[in-house]
Amino acid sequence: MEITKENRKWLDEMGLSHPIVIAGPCSAETEEQVLKTAHELKKTDTNVFRAGIWKPRTRPGGFEGVGAVGLPWLQRVKEETGFKVTTEVGNANHVELALKHGIDILWIGARTTVNPFVVQEIADALKGVDIPVLVKNPVNPDLPLWLGAVERFKTAGISQLGVIHRGFSTYNSLHYRNKPKWHLAIELKKEFPSLPLILDPSHICGRRDTLLDVSQTGLDLNYDGFMIETHIDPDNAWSDAAQQVTPAQLSQITDDLKIRQKSSTKEEFQRKLTMHRKELDLIDGSIIDILGDRMGIAKEIGKLKHSENVAILQSSRWSNMLSKMVEDGKEKGLSKDFIEEVFRAIHVESINIQHKV
Ligand code: PEP
Ligand code: MN
């Protein structure tokens, strides 16, 4: 399937001088909270107002959204501020209600993208309607599932498309609520270069103090914009309080972001160089992670061999492994010498670790 410039018309036609900013509360709570937040956001770079009307909660008992009574509040936001408005839809009924109330853009939540039946149901409910649909990544790091959801909308005739990167569920992250796993978004961008890619640092960070840093990475990687949860009184928000910022804090973030202009060729060069360097930094970080995991396994093997008094060096396994690596490397255009050098170093370190057990 091909995603073309036509599919990003909704964004290009906005003619923005900066990456798109979608802001507003995690949840619509009261009419006053929604309208006050929207009016404050008029003083910022915000282009589209967001608010969750139906909230998919991981566990029952939390605030599940005000439901359809909140839709007229978003209509008032449109009338009073001129913002386009967007909300999450999770089934065909939500689609029908959102369309009836003039919602301009729909987004598909991370817990919905995981389910092709529901994605298809929503896509079918949208047949014949040309409204932009933004697909959040699924909660699990599965790129085909994310792409598959986009393809279902495209196949159903939705021509205005985009994706939102909100990170991936994890049990063991100190820094992130949802790990960014940037390489997945970079892969997606390689597959569909014209598809607008929007960063949701709020759900990646889960806290306020790291939003700027994560947003800067998104900017350096050439994302098309940001969705940032913004609330008139974040500490007292009914959902996701820790990660929401005030409209004034949002302005601070967008002011602090170092935006690299696309105008001159020299700047274009700098921008591309920065983007590629950032990509390299992220890949190098993953290499370190993977090497750490590999050495952890080597240690386990060392313990096993020790318990059975088996020799550490198994020469036949090592030479088979090396020839396979050389073959695999060839397919990726990597030279035999390079692969041998890298894997010798890894092998030596593995043996040292096994010796220490
Ligand atoms: C949200 O944007 O408030 C939301 C529920 O997001 P996600 O689907 O990314 O968890
Ligand atoms: Mn939220």
Side-chain angles (χ1 to χ4, degrees):
M1 175 169 301
E2 210 196 339
I3 299 286
T4 62
K5 286 243 178 279
E6 195 54 26
N7 299 123
R8 56 176 297 129
K9 223 165 94 184
W10 66 274
L11 178 59
D12 292 343
E13 281 183 349
M14 288 170 87
L16 305 176
S17 58
H18 57 74
I20 187 172
V21 178
I22 303 173
C26 176
S27 306
E29 298 163 4
T30 65
E31 184 164 24
E32 192 192 5
Q33 166 250 8
V34 166
L35 286 162
K36 266 193 177 165
T37 307
H39 281 285
E40 280 301 306
L41 282 172
K42 278 307 273 183
K43 302 174 194 157
T44 71
D45 284 338
T46 301
N47 310 107
V48 175
F49 183 81
R50 66 151 277 159
I53 293 289
W54 300 280
K55 301 302 298 178
R57 307 315 302 222
T58 301
R59 301 187 67 179
F63 171 58
E64 302 211 315
V66 290
V69 291
L71 289 167
W73 307 344
L74 293 184
Q75 278 180 305
R76 269 192 75 184
V77 167
K78 258 176 92 154
E79 286 156 18
E80 292 181 19
T81 66
F83 280 141
K84 284 186 189 300
V85 293
T86 180
T87 198
E88 172 175 350
V89 289
N91 59 39
N93 181 44
H94 294 167
V95 169
E96 193 191 324
L97 287 164
L99 294 176
K100 211 188 272 173
H101 289 84
I103 301 297
D104 301 288
I105 297 172
L106 303 177
W107 91 75
I108 307 302
R111 292 164 195 76
T112 302
T113 308
V114 292
N115 188 332
F117 288 136
V118 183
V119 170
Q120 192 60 53
E121 173 192 316
I122 295 172
D124 290 342
L126 281 167
K127 280 229 165 88
V129 183
D130 207 11
I131 186 172
V133 175
L134 309 179
V135 181
K136 284 201 171 196
N137 66 257
V139 284
N140 53 324
D142 184 337
L143 182 59
L145 198 54
W146 195 4
L147 296 175
V150 174
E151 286 164 347
R152 280 176 201 278
F153 286 108
K154 172 117 190 189
T155 307
I158 308 296
S159 68
Q160 308 298 305
L161 292 163
V163 288
I164 302 174
H165 175 202
R166 52 77 82 192
F168 301 89
S169 261
T170 171
Y171 288 112
N172 59 357
S173 178
L174 283 177
H175 296 296
Y176 300 111
R177 176 176 175 197
N178 292 292
K179 271 199 178 169
K181 296 187 184 283
W182 296 101
H183 60 283
L184 286 174
I186 292 169
E187 277 300 307
L188 180 137
K189 188 117 186 118
K190 282 197 177 122
E191 179 119 0
F192 292 146
S194 296
L195 188 62
L197 172 59
I198 294 167
L199 184 69
D200 169 350
S202 305
H203 290 88
I204 288 178
C205 299
R207 52 198 256 191
R208 286 167 210 147
D209 59 332
T210 50
L211 289 174
L212 174 62
D213 200 39
V214 166
S215 301
Q216 185 64 51
T217 299
L219 197 65
D220 293 341
L221 289 173
N222 223 5
Y223 277 54
D224 295 282
F226 303 94
M227 176 187 260
I228 301 183
E229 287 188 342
T230 313
H231 192 289
I232 198 76
D233 181 11
D235 286 332
N236 291 305
W238 297 1
S239 59
D240 289 351
Q243 71 197 28
Q244 300 204 58
V245 290
T246 61
Q249 288 166 327
L250 174 74
S251 283
Q252 193 63 54
I253 292 171
T254 53
D255 286 353
D256 289 348
L257 279 174
K258 292 182 189 68
I259 299 194
R260 291 168 181 89
Q261 298 297 331
K262 297 183 182 178
S263 52
S264 82
T265 50
K266 204 162 157 229
E267 279 166 356
E268 174 73 1
F269 163 81
Q270 278 304 338
R271 194 180 58 77
K272 282 195 171 153
L273 191 64
T274 309
M275 178 176 98
H276 291 317
R277 284 187 173 148
K278 195 83 199 178
E279 287 178 344
L280 286 184
D281 290 350
L282 296 167
I283 290 174
D284 289 344
S286 310
I287 293 177
I288 298 284
D289 274 354
I290 289 172
L291 285 175
D293 290 350
R294 195 191 189 286
M295 294 308 159
I297 293 173
K299 201 168 170 183
E300 288 307 311
I301 292 183
K303 283 187 202 158
L304 265 178
K305 286 180 182 166
H306 184 73
S307 70
E308 292 297 319
N309 210 12
V310 170
I312 287 178
L313 181 63
Q314 309 272 315
S315 320
S316 63
R317 172 166 156 78
W318 162 238
S319 52
N320 289 342
M321 194 183 109
L322 193 59
S323 6
K324 183 175 182 310
M325 291 305 159
V326 168
E327 275 311 303
D328 288 356
K330 236 188 245 164
E331 276 178 27
K332 290 263 177 190
L334 304 171
S335 78
K336 180 169 183 277
D337 286 351
F338 172 63
I339 292 289
E340 285 185 351
E341 197 169 338
V342 169
F343 278 93
R344 277 216 176 90
I346 291 176
H347 189 234
V348 167
E349 182 65 6
S350 276
I351 288 181
N352 288 340
I353 283 175
Q354 294 186 36
H355 268 299
K356 280 191 208 137
V357 171

